[in-house]
Amino acid sequence: MSRFAAVLKKDVLVNKKNLLIPYIIMAVFYILMTAIILSQASKMNFEFDDMYVSFNEPSAAASYIGNIFLLALPGFLSVIFTLLLAQSALNEDLRRNCELFHRSQPISIWKRTISKFIVAVAGNWVFLIVLGIVNLIISAIILTQFVPFHIGKALVGFIQAFIGFAKFNLIVGSIAFFCSAIFKDKALLKGLAILVGVHVFLGILELFLNISIPSPLSYLGKLLQDTSVTINSNLNHNLKTFILDRWQSLILNSKVLIQLVFSAVMYAAGTLIYKNREVK
């Protein structure tokens, strides 16, 4: 086993409890759904079709939109636990009184921090993928009681919902990771307090000086928003147009590159601060 793999395994084991809690919560939530699956399996009415055929059928829209909304609760949980893991990522060894030991090991600081970053962010991506597969089954059970289930559209809905939450988690996770390099306790809360304070201060300056001053908090808000079309603007479009617009919003625009660069800068800055932080 390589040194990096060993460090990654260690970080997974250290954070195993927090990584498993979302699964436990959703498992309890889905117990009733499992009973429905077992009792209604014989009534399923699947339609295997191309992803972009018969888009105007109500059943196709239901299959697509249903899998977007079914990922809402798991997505919300993934955001919460990404923040919890990331805000303590660079302080967990300190809390366990073993930071000096790990820093003395023959592995670069960058490999150690990227391992922690991967566990905090990508660990919840895995959670979303697992729950997305479960949701495909759940949506099949629910929708086949009323309309045919379109697997192609359901899969597209899940993938788009996953990408949206994955991007959100990457950005907020990188911010929390950066804060963990500066603050050793309640890192995210302290970081947000500073941002809010700066935002209020700049607002006061704008009021008295009558000039426009960019606010970091406002910029972060815009960064977290996809340049996506709203539901109202697409009510008169067919489902194919809506899905293509969502792809354009999620990945086929320049804002995605800015989001990736921002997350990379937050990770790099956090690592550099952590590297030069005094070890006690």
Side-chain angles (χ1 to χ4, degrees):
M1 181 182 294
S2 68
R3 291 174 180 173
F4 176 73
V7 171
L8 184 62
K9 181 179 179 180
K10 185 269 294 184
D11 287 329
V12 171
L13 292 176
V14 167
N15 295 283
K16 180 173 66 174
K17 180 179 179 180
N18 285 331
L19 288 172
L20 290 177
I21 289 177
Y23 291 95
I24 296 173
I25 294 174
M26 294 308 301
V28 173
F29 180 79
Y30 285 144
I31 287 177
L32 181 59
M33 295 299 177
T34 302
I36 296 175
I37 291 175
L38 296 176
S39 62
Q40 300 294 331
S42 61
K43 298 181 181 179
M44 289 185 180
N45 181 19
F46 289 96
E47 286 191 3
F48 293 86
D49 61 333
D50 180 70
M51 290 185 183
Y52 296 118
V53 175
S54 303
F55 271 89
N56 292 322
E57 293 183 8
S59 59
S63 298
Y64 168 74
I65 296 174
N67 276 273
I68 292 179
F69 283 103
L70 281 174
L71 204 64
L73 178 57
F76 179 72
L77 288 175
S78 74
V79 171
I80 292 176
F81 283 92
T82 293
L83 291 174
L84 289 175
L85 289 171
Q87 75 161 354
S88 61
L90 299 179
N91 296 308
E92 190 63 28
D93 291 340
L94 182 65
R95 187 179 69 83
R96 293 171 177 267
N97 297 317
C98 60
E99 183 171 359
L100 185 61
F101 168 78
H102 289 297
R103 286 219 184 191
S104 64
Q105 299 304 303
I107 185 171
S108 72
I109 196 75
W110 293 93
K111 289 183 178 180
R112 288 186 59 226
T113 56
I114 194 62
S115 172
K116 296 176 183 297
F117 188 82
I118 289 173
V119 171
V121 178
N124 285 289
W125 289 356
V126 175
F127 165 69
L128 285 177
I129 292 173
V130 172
L131 267 294
I133 295 173
V134 174
N135 285 342
L136 285 173
I137 300 174
I138 292 175
S139 61
I141 295 301
I142 296 175
L143 292 176
T144 50
Q145 307 305 308
F146 309 98
V147 294
F149 179 69
H150 297 251
I151 293 180
K153 282 73 171 185
L155 185 60
V156 171
F158 155 61
I159 293 174
Q160 290 187 343
F162 168 77
I163 292 175
F165 279 114
K167 287 171 56 181
F168 192 93
N169 284 356
L170 178 63
I171 296 171
V172 298
S174 65
I175 295 172
F177 182 87
F178 172 76
C179 291
S180 74
I182 302 175
F183 307 105
K184 296 180 180 181
D185 183 44
K186 300 179 181 179
L188 184 61
L189 183 62
K190 293 177 180 178
L192 287 176
I194 291 176
L195 282 177
V196 171
V198 171
H199 182 77
V200 172
F201 176 72
L202 293 177
I204 295 174
L205 287 181
E206 286 185 353
L207 181 63
F208 284 96
L209 300 179
N210 196 27
I211 57 175
S212 178
I213 305 176
S215 168
L217 192 61
S218 298
Y219 174 77
L220 289 176
K222 293 178 180 179
L223 193 66
L224 289 170
Q225 293 177 350
D226 288 313
T227 54
S228 60
V229 290
T230 62
I231 295 177
N232 290 333
S233 66
N234 283 273
L235 289 176
N236 296 324
H237 290 77
N238 60 30
L239 184 58
K240 180 177 180 179
T241 301
F242 184 88
I243 290 177
L244 292 177
D245 285 344
R246 286 292 297 160
W247 284 127
Q248 181 71 31
S249 165
L250 289 169
I251 58 177
L252 302 177
N253 62 82
S254 59
K255 189 175 182 180
V256 175
L257 179 60
I258 297 175
Q259 292 168 330
L260 293 176
V261 171
F262 174 83
S263 297
V265 170
M266 287 290 98
Y267 159 73
T271 298
L272 289 174
I273 294 173
Y274 175 68
K275 181 178 180 181
N276 293 282
R277 195 169 72 181
E278 181 182 1
V279 180
K280 296 181 180 180

